[in-house]
Amino acid sequence: MFKIGRNDPCWCGSGKKYKTCHLEFDRKLENYEIMGDEVPDHSMIKTPAQIEGIRRAGVVNNQILDLVGEKIRPGISTEDLNTLVHETTIRLGGIPAPLNFEGYPKSVCTSINEVVCHGIPDPKRILKEGDIINVDVTTIVDGYYADASRMYCMGNVSAEAEKLVRVTKESVDLALKEARAWGHLGDIGAVISEYIYANGFTVVREIGGHGVGLDFHEEPWVSHIGTRGTDMLLVPGMIFTIEPMVNAGKADVVQDDTDGWTIYTKDGSLSAQWEYTVLITEDGPEVLAR
């Protein structure tokens, strides 16, 4: 599986010899693979330099979402939010990753009420009292990507909306406890789906988290429904998003045929999402963007 000489430079870019750096790590991976586990290849394991770059991107991404939290309110349009995110990203030395990504026309995704994800900012869509909105920001800094989203409640929202937003975030925080080195991706999906369904909501199956850092979307794909002890092994150096999309009604979704992007709940029920970018370490998960 790993064809590197003991005295060759380690593949991680540390400058150390392989035998004093990742040799034992790779042997451990091989042992897990022999036992039947799905193990990540080196392309999914970030080097120390890459991790530091992604960490810097996460700092900027968090600053942008913090400012959104300060400015968002009933009466402004989702296009106002797009302008805020775009201008702030540029001012902080970043690039808004969504802009022109596979034809997406804006710098941020703004998903309101029954919109599950990929809502396109629009000057005619004015936030009003009682709305819930997900603002999804992805930032490139010096070629590195960080990705996170937050929910915002506009004034007094319904009891159902408040619970949906709160429970969705709680599920991500619970998932962090399962994001442990030498655990499995299935552990993350299991704890999220168990908690969401116990609270009377459903989890969108078609859309999940993803590897991130060197590109917008990388391997692995992260399901938010899972079985403990299954799916890919989690190892130090992996970076991916945890971002469950949770519906108040049924889990089924539909895509807007007109814009080709916006995803709605099929039954028109409310939807909520929180997203973190997470680094797996030997000492536990590190949230790089939230």
Side-chain angles (χ1 to χ4, degrees):
M1 181 178 178
F2 305 109
K3 305 298 183 183
I4 304 175
R6 291 173 55 85
N7 291 310
D8 290 340
C10 187
W11 54 264
C12 77
S14 66
K16 299 177 182 179
K17 292 182 178 180
Y18 180 50
K19 66 183 179 182
T20 60
C21 195
H22 270 88
L23 175 59
E24 292 305 317
F25 174 89
D26 283 346
R27 285 176 173 170
K28 190 171 184 178
L29 282 187
E30 286 183 307
N31 287 336
Y32 273 102
E33 188 173 40
I34 289 169
M35 292 187 292
D37 283 290
E38 179 185 357
V39 303
D41 60 37
H42 287 165
S43 68
M44 291 185 224
I45 302 169
K46 304 299 190 287
T47 70
Q50 290 168 345
I51 291 169
E52 186 54 37
I54 299 163
R55 188 179 283 120
R56 290 195 303 271
V59 170
V60 173
N61 207 77
N62 290 345
Q63 289 175 331
I64 296 166
L65 282 166
D66 287 345
L67 187 59
V68 169
E70 294 174 12
K71 301 294 185 180
I72 195 168
R73 65 187 188 281
I76 69 172
S77 72
T78 51
E79 181 61 28
D80 293 332
L81 294 175
N82 181 72
T83 300
L84 175 66
V85 168
H86 183 90
E87 292 180 351
T88 304
T89 303
I90 300 304
R91 176 172 58 81
L92 294 174
I95 299 170
L99 184 60
N100 299 321
F101 175 76
E102 296 184 353
Y104 186 79
K106 300 292 181 175
S107 295
V108 66
C109 295
T110 53
S111 303
I112 304 171
N113 297 336
E114 76 280 6
V115 178
V116 176
C117 62
H118 303 160
I120 301 174
D122 184 341
K124 296 180 180 178
R125 183 57 170 99
I126 308 300
L127 293 176
K128 63 182 185 299
E129 186 88 6
D131 283 340
I132 59 173
I133 177 172
N134 177 268
V135 179
D136 191 345
V137 173
T138 308
T139 308
I140 310 170
V141 176
D142 298 329
Y144 296 104
Y145 292 69
D147 189 5
S149 76
R150 300 179 191 174
M151 294 296 300
Y152 302 92
C153 295
M154 297 298 97
N156 294 317
V157 303
S158 69
E160 178 186 53
E162 184 281 327
K163 181 181 178 183
L164 178 66
V165 170
R166 172 175 50 81
V167 166
T168 302
K169 185 176 188 302
E170 289 169 350
S171 76
V172 180
D173 291 332
L174 285 171
L176 284 178
K177 298 178 182 179
E178 302 295 332
R180 298 187 298 263
W182 315 111
H184 295 81
L185 277 175
D187 304 339
I188 291 171
V191 72
I192 288 173
S193 56
E194 289 167 4
Y195 189 71
I196 293 302
Y197 281 91
N199 276 279
F201 301 130
T202 61
V203 181
V204 173
R205 296 173 177 268
E206 296 90 340
I207 310 168
H210 52 88
V212 69
L214 306 184
D215 205 346
F216 203 152
H217 297 114
E218 306 172 12
E219 294 295 330
W221 188 73
V222 180
S223 175
H224 300 114
I225 294 176
T227 302
R228 285 180 173 79
T230 66
D231 210 335
M232 186 173 287
L233 191 71
L234 300 176
V235 306
M238 292 177 72
I239 297 178
F240 52 82
T241 67
I242 301 175
E243 50 176 307
M245 300 168 197
V246 179
N247 296 347
K250 295 182 179 180
D252 304 298
V253 299
V254 293
Q255 186 175 48
D256 190 304
D257 291 332
T258 303
D259 66 36
W261 281 99
T262 310
I263 306 294
Y264 298 89
T265 56
K266 188 173 183 179
D267 60 9
S269 63
L270 294 174
S271 188
Q273 179 194 18
W274 292 82
E275 178 181 14
Y276 296 171
T277 293
V278 179
L279 164 67
I280 301 298
T281 81
E282 286 284 8
D283 299 322
E286 178 185 344
V287 180
L288 302 180
R290 70 167 83 209

